[in-house]
Amino acid sequence: MNKLGRILINICRLVLALTLIFSGYVKAIDPMGTNYKLQDYLGALSLQGQVPEWLTVTAAVALAAVEFCLGLFLLFAIHRRTVTRLILCLMVVMTALSAWLWWCNPISDCGCFGDAIVLTNGETFAKNIVLLAAAIIVCKWPLMMVRFISRTNQWIVINYSILFIIFTSLYCLYDLPIFDFRPYKEGADLRKGMEIPETAEQPQFETIFILEKDGKRQEFTLENYPDSTWTFVDRKTIQTSEGYVPPIHDFSIETVEDGEDITEDVIADPGYTFLLISPQLETANDSEFGTFDQLYEYCQEQNYPFYCLTSSGEKGIERWRDLTGAEYPFCHTDATTLKTIIRSNPGLLLLHDGKVVRKWSYNMLPDITMLTTRLEDTPIGQTPSDTPTKKLLRILSVFVLPLLALSLADRLWAWTRWVRRKERKKKKEEKEEK
């Protein structure tokens, strides 16, 4: 194969590898989000509720690990024949799935890049067509891919990658996603997230008139409204375009007792507000109920609002009260919204002047013993200094840099071996000449 063909193969290899690595990693850092998306697929197939959640969570972790590891192995050209065949099989399945999504539109977003990049079903199908073509090329000529590491050291990359990605998923299941791409991330202003700019495109609607003549009914618009010989029957309004949809468009809080909407009161409060989040109280972990009760007592002492947001009905709320002795007020919020806010059931959210200050899973709740004074005077009341940039640098230092160092050392060792072999061959030839 000529040089141009080799370059094309390795470009396809890099595009495919980097896409799989990114796709696998964003799934791994948010396994619960992937789990929710898998449940959406099951719902589209009329199978929701028939598959236990532990199985979909396991599938979410496995899918992230498979994508990430296959992408990394392709990048390093490890087991080139086997890996390229597996990737081709994966892309055939993914392309067929995206074709179904594009044609039938059972769900609006495939979830291939989690919440990091949201694609339409048409964009996903087009993306997978390109990746499928790349997978076919690398599968046909796998040995044309340049190695980044020798066979003798491949086992290090394989084991390290598998352990890293599985540990990442398990850690994010125990705590919360390392990187939060949702509109409710720490530091987000909920009021700004709900605003619609004045210059934004507005939703478009059209009125359809249903008229009748000589026993025949027909639909008309204002543009083609007929003469007076037609009799009016009914009319309906349909939305022709969505227009601008703000990042936060489905967040509302209604009290359980009287159904009062207190959303504006909560996000406009200039002080601190604690929100205990539980999409379903029936399945919520109740091991830390004592911490929530103590936190509510602290809020009463310091005059901070404390609400429990849930989509559960009266029975679920009463069951939780009986189990935990909860005295804090309960409010209703949409289940999907609550799952978007925090990937923990239950989870804890701290607001200040409408901004998200902190988020905790039930496994990593704040130390109540630190709450002896006002939140303004404690680290708990401050936005964490652990920025996404710092987190990214940690990932680079823990995973990327060691692999890069290993690859450089391996290539240097391979080069020195090549130099030594060449010198030995040269000496042998000189000796034979003498």
Side-chain angles (χ1 to χ4, degrees), residues 44-234:
L45 296 171
S46 301
L47 295 174
Q48 194 166 26
Q50 299 183 34
V51 179
E53 188 173 27
W54 68 265
L55 190 57
T56 55
V57 171
T58 302
V61 173
L63 178 62
V66 167
E67 286 190 9
F68 181 84
C69 291
L70 285 178
L72 201 70
F73 299 163
L74 182 66
L75 180 65
F76 279 86
I78 294 173
H79 295 303
R80 292 175 287 186
R81 289 189 180 91
T82 303
V83 168
T84 53
R85 289 169 184 168
L86 290 174
I87 289 176
L88 179 58
C89 292
L90 177 66
M91 289 315 307
V92 167
V93 173
M94 291 300 180
T95 305
L97 179 62
S98 61
W100 171 63
L101 292 176
W102 175 60
W103 184 260
C104 300
N105 197 37
I107 56 178
S108 60
D109 167 33
C110 74
C112 52
F113 296 131
D115 292 299
I117 301 176
V118 179
L119 302 177
T120 65
N121 290 333
E123 291 168 342
T124 300
F125 181 54
K127 181 257 302 179
N128 284 344
I129 288 292
V130 174
L131 294 181
L132 178 61
I136 292 172
I137 292 173
V138 297
C139 188
K140 187 171 178 60
W141 294 285
L143 300 184
M144 295 297 103
M145 295 188 298
V146 180
R147 288 186 182 274
F148 288 161
I149 199 163
S150 61
R151 290 182 180 180
T152 54
N153 289 324
Q154 288 180 356
W155 67 272
I156 302 176
V157 177
I158 293 172
N159 293 327
Y160 191 50
S161 302
I162 294 173
L163 289 174
F164 169 78
I165 201 65
I166 291 180
F167 174 80
T168 298
S169 289
L170 295 179
Y171 174 81
C172 293
L173 276 174
Y174 184 81
D175 191 5
L176 294 174
I178 299 173
F179 298 99
D180 193 347
F181 301 103
R182 287 156 289 146
Y184 301 93
K185 59 181 176 292
E186 291 177 338
D189 190 324
L190 300 186
R191 285 171 295 186
K192 287 186 177 180
M194 299 170 73
E195 289 178 354
I196 299 179
E198 293 182 1
T199 57
E201 182 182 353
Q202 299 298 315
Q204 301 297 317
F205 299 91
E206 185 176 40
T207 301
I208 303 296
F209 298 91
I210 303 173
L211 305 180
E212 185 176 2
K213 181 180 181 181
D214 299 330
K216 179 182 177 182
R217 290 191 178 187
Q218 191 172 335
E219 294 184 351
F220 299 92
T221 64
L222 285 173
E223 286 73 20
N224 65 348
Y225 198 89
D227 56 42
S228 58
T229 59
W230 289 79
T231 304
F232 175 83
V233 177
D234 197 3

Side-chain angles (χ1 to χ4, degrees), residues 27 29-37 53 57 60 172-173 343-344:
K27 287 185 179 74
I29 61 173
D30 188 10
M32 286 306 298
T34 308
N35 164 56
Y36 296 146
K37 184 58 64 175
E53 188 173 27
V57 171
C172 293
L173 276 174
R343 304 299 202 204
S344 179

Side-chain angles (χ1 to χ4, degrees), residues 76 146-153 404-418:
F76 279 86
V146 180
R147 288 186 182 274
F148 288 161
I149 199 163
S150 61
R151 290 182 180 180
T152 54
N153 289 324
L404 181 60
L406 173 65
S407 182
L408 291 175
D410 179 87
R411 293 298 85 196
L412 180 61
W413 175 252
W415 177 76
T416 57
R417 288 178 61 192
W418 177 80

Side-chain angles (χ1 to χ4, degrees), residues 24 222 258 276 284 345:
L222 285 173
D258 52 15
L276 173 59
N345 186 23

